[in-house]
Amino acid sequence: MKILKLVIAVFLLGSCNAQNNNITLKTNNTDNTLLWEISGKQLSKPSYLFGTFHLICKDDIPFGPQLKTAVKSVNEVYMELDMDDPGRLTGALQLMNMKGDTTLKSLYSTEEYKKLQLFFSDSLQMPLAMFQSMKPVFLEAMLYPKMLPCKTMSGVEEELLLLAKENKKPIQGLETMAFQASVFDSIPYTGQAKELLKAIDSLQAYKKYFEVMVKAYKSQQLKKMQELLSNKDFGMEDNQDILLDKRNKNWVTQLNTIMKKESVFIAVGAGHLVGDMGLISLLRKEGYKVRPVEN
């Protein structure tokens, strides 16, 4: 059950207590930062954009002093989902299950399924039978703890939630659980099943890729992260439009309204920040000034 709870946590990345927003945060000398200030376009107060990582060694989470100042200065914190929703865990189970009567067994040949069973039994010490309805993409997420060199892991969103609560900042979500379920349902289960088996067969290669991605995140090299996400063997190039581009455009539409009303701290997966269809580029195209902040 610990691994199941971990997977749920992995994918779940106006207050009267708002501080004075007339602050000036130091600009980063390069674009190597996960923290960005959004201003201009008649915004009365700046908002902030931050790239998260869904699972990482807890000691590696990059919360610098300026990030903490930014969180203190805003009215609300927006994440992909409302992480403070008491029904989040129940909704997560619905998000993780495949539609209809599709089962894992139906997605694999007899030989492939036996290989999957053996891996879960030997490497994860869990029976595959208990995950028959789970989308393969979430089963793939169970491999991530085996790729990290630490025992104490956490989601950046989870730690940011604690920081927001310390500062009495309300949490909001840019998407609903039902919408996120539809996103993963739009990727064919057969394709997800193929990727899960590929990850198990090439676990050491995936581990090296994951290590490089974590290193790029820790050093806040967004261009390197963009390059890795475009990797034809390990990245999400085939599903980028579904997982990133369309969602980014929808979020910018929402943020146009939200940021006019109040100052907010926006925390979404770092992959959503980069590229021509990333949030930094899209917000600039909307006429905002988006500048890198030292973190």
Side-chain angles (χ1 to χ4, degrees), residues 116-143:
L116 207 62
Q117 276 185 310
L118 187 62
F119 178 83
F120 269 73
S121 176
D122 290 353
S123 297
L124 300 182
Q125 286 81 52
M126 300 186 74
L128 186 60
M130 68 184 293
F131 303 113
Q132 275 300 306
S133 297
M134 188 176 290
K135 294 168 189 170
V137 67
F138 290 103
L139 289 175
E140 190 174 341
M142 287 184 173
L143 306 182

Side-chain angles (χ1 to χ4, degrees), residues 3 28 50 52 55-56 58 66 80 116 127 136 148 170 201 225 229 238 241 266 270-271:
I3 291 183
N28 204 47
F50 178 69
T52 66
L55 186 65
I56 197 170
K58 190 170 182 177
Q66 294 210 115
E80 294 181 28
L116 207 62
L148 288 169
D201 285 338
M225 295 190 73
L229 289 169
D238 291 344
D241 188 49
I266 307 137

Side-chain angles (χ1 to χ4, degrees), residues 73-266:
S73 74
V74 300
N75 298 96
E76 294 188 305
V77 172
Y78 273 78
M79 299 185 184
E80 294 181 28
L81 292 168
D82 180 355
M83 299 287 287
D84 206 26
D85 182 356
R88 179 168 57 96
L89 294 182
T90 302
L93 291 174
Q94 179 184 357
L95 182 154
M96 293 163 65
N97 289 333
M98 292 183 278
K99 294 188 298 184
D101 57 359
T102 305
T103 63
L104 282 176
K105 207 165 188 176
S106 70
L107 297 173
Y108 293 102
S109 68
T110 301
E111 183 179 342
E112 290 171 336
Y113 188 75
K114 285 182 179 178
K115 180 187 290 187
L116 207 62
Q117 276 185 310
L118 187 62
F119 178 83
F120 269 73
S121 176
D122 290 353
S123 297
L124 300 182
Q125 286 81 52
M126 300 186 74
L128 186 60
M130 68 184 293
F131 303 113
Q132 275 300 306
S133 297
M134 188 176 290
K135 294 168 189 170
V137 67
F138 290 103
L139 289 175
E140 190 174 341
M142 287 184 173
L143 306 182
Y144 295 164
K146 299 183 72 64
M147 300 181 189
L148 288 169
C150 57
K151 293 183 178 179
T152 306
M153 296 166 279
S154 185
V156 176
E157 295 93 339
E158 298 287 344
E159 298 303 315
L160 186 59
L161 177 63
L162 295 176
L163 182 61
K165 285 186 173 181
E166 285 176 12
N167 289 281
K168 299 186 170 118
K169 304 299 177 181
I171 307 295
Q172 302 291 346
L174 292 166
E175 294 174 341
T176 63
M177 198 72 72
F179 177 81
Q180 286 210 350
S182 72
V183 169
F184 290 105
D185 283 328
S186 65
I187 302 173
Y189 298 147
T190 52
Q192 294 184 31
K194 181 180 178 181
E195 287 300 313
L196 172 60
L197 201 60
K198 178 182 173 183
I200 289 173
D201 285 338
S202 308
L203 191 58
Q204 288 307 309
Y206 270 79
K207 184 176 181 180
K208 288 181 181 178
Y209 171 82
F210 193 74
E211 287 173 353
V212 175
M213 179 65 83
V214 170
K215 183 177 180 180
Y217 182 78
K218 286 166 56 178
S219 57
Q220 306 189 61
Q221 298 181 59
L222 292 185
K223 288 183 180 179
K224 181 63 175 179
M225 295 190 73
Q226 181 183 355
E227 176 188 322
L228 291 166
L229 289 169
S230 300
N231 184 297
K232 65 178 182 179
D233 293 322
F234 304 107
M236 58 175 65
E237 189 176 37
D238 291 344
N239 297 302
Q240 180 170 324
D241 188 49
I242 296 171
L243 293 174
L244 297 178
D245 298 352
K246 288 182 178 179
R247 296 167 70 199
N248 288 347
K249 288 190 284 187
N250 182 48
W251 292 349
V252 169
T253 299
Q254 293 183 60
L255 291 172
N256 273 327
T257 301
I258 293 168
M259 294 189 301
K260 287 178 183 176
K261 296 179 180 177
E262 60 185 0
S263 174
V264 294
F265 188 98
I266 307 137

Side-chain angles (χ1 to χ4, degrees), residues 24 26 30 38 42 46 57 71 106 116 166 208 211 243-244 265 277 291:
T24 301
K26 185 178 179 181
T30 69
I38 308 166
Q42 300 180 330
C57 294
V71 171
S106 70
L116 207 62
E166 285 176 12
K208 288 181 181 178
E211 287 173 353
L243 293 174
L244 297 178
F265 188 98
M277 294 301 296
R291 70 180 185 100

